[in-house]
Amino acid sequence: MDTIQIQGGRRLQGTVRVQGSKNGVLPLMAAALIIPGKTVLKGCPRITDVSAMADAMTDMGCRISRQGDDLIIDATGVHTSRVPRQCGEKLRSSVLFLGALLARTGLAILPYPGGCTIGARPVDFHLEGMRRLGVFVYPDGEWIRAVGRPGGGSCRLPMASVGATENLLLAASCCAEPVTIQGAAREPEIVGLCEFLSAMGADVRGAGTDTISITGVEAPGPVTFRVPGDRIIAGTYLLAAAATGGRILLQGIPSGMLADQIDIYRQLGLRLWENRQGILAVREGSLRPVQCATAPYPGFPTDLQSQLMAVAACAPGESRITETVFEHRFQVAEELCRMGADIHIEGQTARITGVPRLAGCSVEAKELRGGAALIIAGLAAEGITRITGVNYIRRGYGDIAGDLRRLGADIRDVRE
Ligand code: UD1
């Protein structure tokens, strides 16, 4: 069984380049399906979610290759509107093929995306939004069937859903009449997708606000696009530096993309400076407790909540973390408690009393970000931590063990 093994107790020190964003690249890959030609995604991360997306697109007729860090997608030969069943099981982002296929062919048949341990994660906003654009959408057992070219119109999302906003933008990207999305998500990944669709020829306004208008392009042109840096990975490494008392230089991400996180780093006692070389982060003095509630952007990201919990577990005093986006996102607390953390969950709030030192032991990653949290806990702990469930971590982190080793951690990715 593959494991990540960490001998804890080393301060992180050095420079690390942040990989391209997982949540940024997946909608861009879906967008590439719309273009009957070539898309080059520069700085594409080497993660298993990208491979799963690429496998599905290859099955649908795309030709996909890698040249160094670039992913080249030629979607000229797309010959089906049916998304392979196994893609739905592996990947929630497979639901983005709904909007992309409707834009390309006016027909989409796709499996309901698989269950997920962090919450129910329904797709009702996606389906209702497509209906508002005049598409006929109906469930068929485990499949979603959608027929019709999206037309103009407006839809209001009941919640600022990242995936639903992306799906509607994809669906509208070839529509000659304007489409307005109200209550849209404002995440930097949405802005990235809007820039891609603009490069393809669409007219997009309001990206980064809660109202986005898009007028599509009938003949989308080829696009070369750089995948933005992964702000969640940047946050993971900054939190690791906080937990270990380190001093690290992050490259490949501007601090503007971390605007939602900065206040929490200040609370923890991490100081940040930015210049042309990158973002320098130094923990000054001992860790301090935090008060934090996750929220859609520009709130603190739910995708960093578990990693923050691992740091809070070592911060003297009482921290409180409230999760407002997903209902089952405190699963890692149990594993952290096995390492000696003192965490009490009351509804959607975790009360964490910092302990002087966590103790390394065998723990299991049950989902992606919880896995990253266990790595941070292992770096800060006394003794050896062995983490199983490494496959979850590989979904979003290309080489987290390598990156942290280059920062001075004693960590190994053991493949068996
Ligand atoms: C995306 C991110 C994920 C991140 C999340 C919130 C990707 C690939 N994934 O997920 O890492 O944690 O945003 O920042 O980008 N909801 C509904 N009905 C819907 C859609 C969503 O009820 O049709 C609810 C969800 O259950 C959740 C909330 O809305 O409670 C926000 O979810 P959403 O923003 O859609 O998350 P994802 O796009 O799935």
Side-chain angles (χ1 to χ4, degrees):
M1 190 191 305
D2 291 0
T3 53
I4 288 183
Q5 298 187 11
I6 306 165
Q7 169 77 56
R10 294 217 189 163
R11 295 179 50 183
L12 296 188
Q13 200 126 23
T15 301
V16 64
R17 177 157 285 278
V18 175
Q19 72 178 48
S21 162
K22 170 179 96 70
N23 290 354
V25 77
L26 297 174
L28 301 180
M29 290 180 76
L33 195 65
I34 300 170
I35 301 170
K38 253 190 196 171
T39 297
V40 179
L41 296 176
K42 300 186 85 63
C44 178
R46 292 175 189 272
I47 52 177
T48 55
D49 270 13
V50 164
S51 315
M53 197 86 171
D55 287 349
M57 291 174 70
T58 304
D59 278 5
M60 288 188 269
C62 295
R63 293 178 60 183
I64 303 187
S65 59
R66 253 199 189 270
Q67 265 176 24
D69 278 343
D70 298 349
L71 190 74
I72 299 148
I73 301 171
D74 185 344
T76 311
V78 167
H79 53 68
T80 177
S81 289
R82 179 185 282 269
V83 179
R85 176 191 290 274
Q86 61 284 15
C87 180
E89 285 158 17
K90 283 192 193 153
L91 202 60
R92 273 203 56 86
S93 291
S94 60
V95 75
L96 297 178
F97 289 133
L98 171 62
L101 282 168
L102 286 172
R104 174 85 188 251
T105 68
L107 172 69
I109 304 164
L110 64 159
Y112 272 97
C116 177
T117 56
I118 64 173
R121 303 185 84 175
V123 290
D124 50 333
F125 304 163
H126 302 241
L127 305 191
E128 199 44 47
M130 297 304 162
R131 290 188 185 110
R132 298 281 304 175
L133 301 188
V135 176
F136 186 51
V137 184
Y138 57 102
D140 179 9
E142 291 167 8
W143 294 83
I144 300 165
R145 286 176 191 268
V147 189
R149 294 261 173 203
S154 79
C155 46
R156 172 175 287 281
L157 292 172
M159 207 187 280
S161 157
V162 174
T165 304
E166 291 167 347
N167 230 341
L168 288 165
L169 285 166
L170 292 165
S173 65
C174 295
C175 173
E177 297 134 49
V179 169
T180 304
I181 307 167
Q182 290 166 317
R186 294 185 278 166
E187 269 70 0
E189 293 75 28
I190 304 280
V191 178
L193 176 61
C194 289
E195 286 169 2
F196 182 101
L197 297 177
S198 298
M200 190 178 100
D203 180 11
V204 191
R205 299 183 186 192
T209 75
D210 64 1
T211 304
I212 307 177
S213 304
I214 172 168
T215 306
V217 52
E218 255 178 73
V223 178
T224 295
F225 195 82
R226 178 160 291 280
V227 179
D230 194 313
R231 62 196 175 92
I232 303 303
I233 292 192
T236 302
Y237 293 164
L238 290 172
L239 288 167
T244 61
R247 177 193 184 89
I248 65 169
L249 181 70
L250 279 185
Q251 296 183 323
I253 191 140
S255 67
M257 279 184 73
L258 310 182
D260 51 339
Q261 306 170 24
I262 302 286
D263 171 57
I264 292 298
Y265 301 139
R266 283 210 189 98
Q267 284 190 43
L268 285 169
L270 195 67
R271 288 199 64 191
L272 303 176
W273 294 268
E274 185 177 28
N275 68 14
R276 266 180 301 169
Q277 286 187 49
I279 303 170
L280 180 68
V282 181
R283 194 185 91 194
E284 291 194 330
S286 57
L287 269 176
R288 294 198 294 263
V290 285
Q291 308 290 321
C292 174
T294 63
Y297 194 85
F300 187 77
T302 174
D303 286 353
L304 281 173
Q305 182 260 107
S306 303
Q307 299 90 313
L308 179 63
M309 182 181 276
V311 183
C314 321
E318 188 178 288
S319 294
R320 276 174 190 268
I321 301 178
T322 302
E323 171 60 51
T324 72
V325 182
F326 290 111
E327 59 278 24
H328 297 305
R329 224 173 187 183
F330 284 145
Q331 291 165 83
V332 77
E334 197 182 322
E335 299 299 295
L336 291 173
C337 288
R338 287 158 55 81
M339 298 177 73
D342 181 353
I343 303 171
H344 291 272
I345 310 288
E346 292 149 10
Q348 290 304 106
T349 297
R351 190 162 45 81
I352 305 142
T353 308
V355 295
R357 203 80 167 150
L358 296 173
C361 66
S362 292
V363 285
E364 184 187 354
K366 293 176 181 149
E367 37 84 29
L368 166 62
R369 306 302 173 186
L374 293 174
I375 291 179
I376 292 177
L379 295 173
E382 208 154 64
I384 296 174
T385 300
R386 277 190 195 81
I387 304 169
T388 54
V390 177
N391 282 348
Y392 288 111
I393 300 172
R394 292 190 187 130
R395 290 186 63 166
Y397 294 83
D399 184 18
I400 190 168
D403 283 350
L404 292 168
R405 210 167 35 246
R406 282 184 282 280
L407 291 174
D410 185 348
I411 177 170
R412 288 185 305 143
D413 195 338
V414 182
R415 292 172 189 249
E416 282 169 23

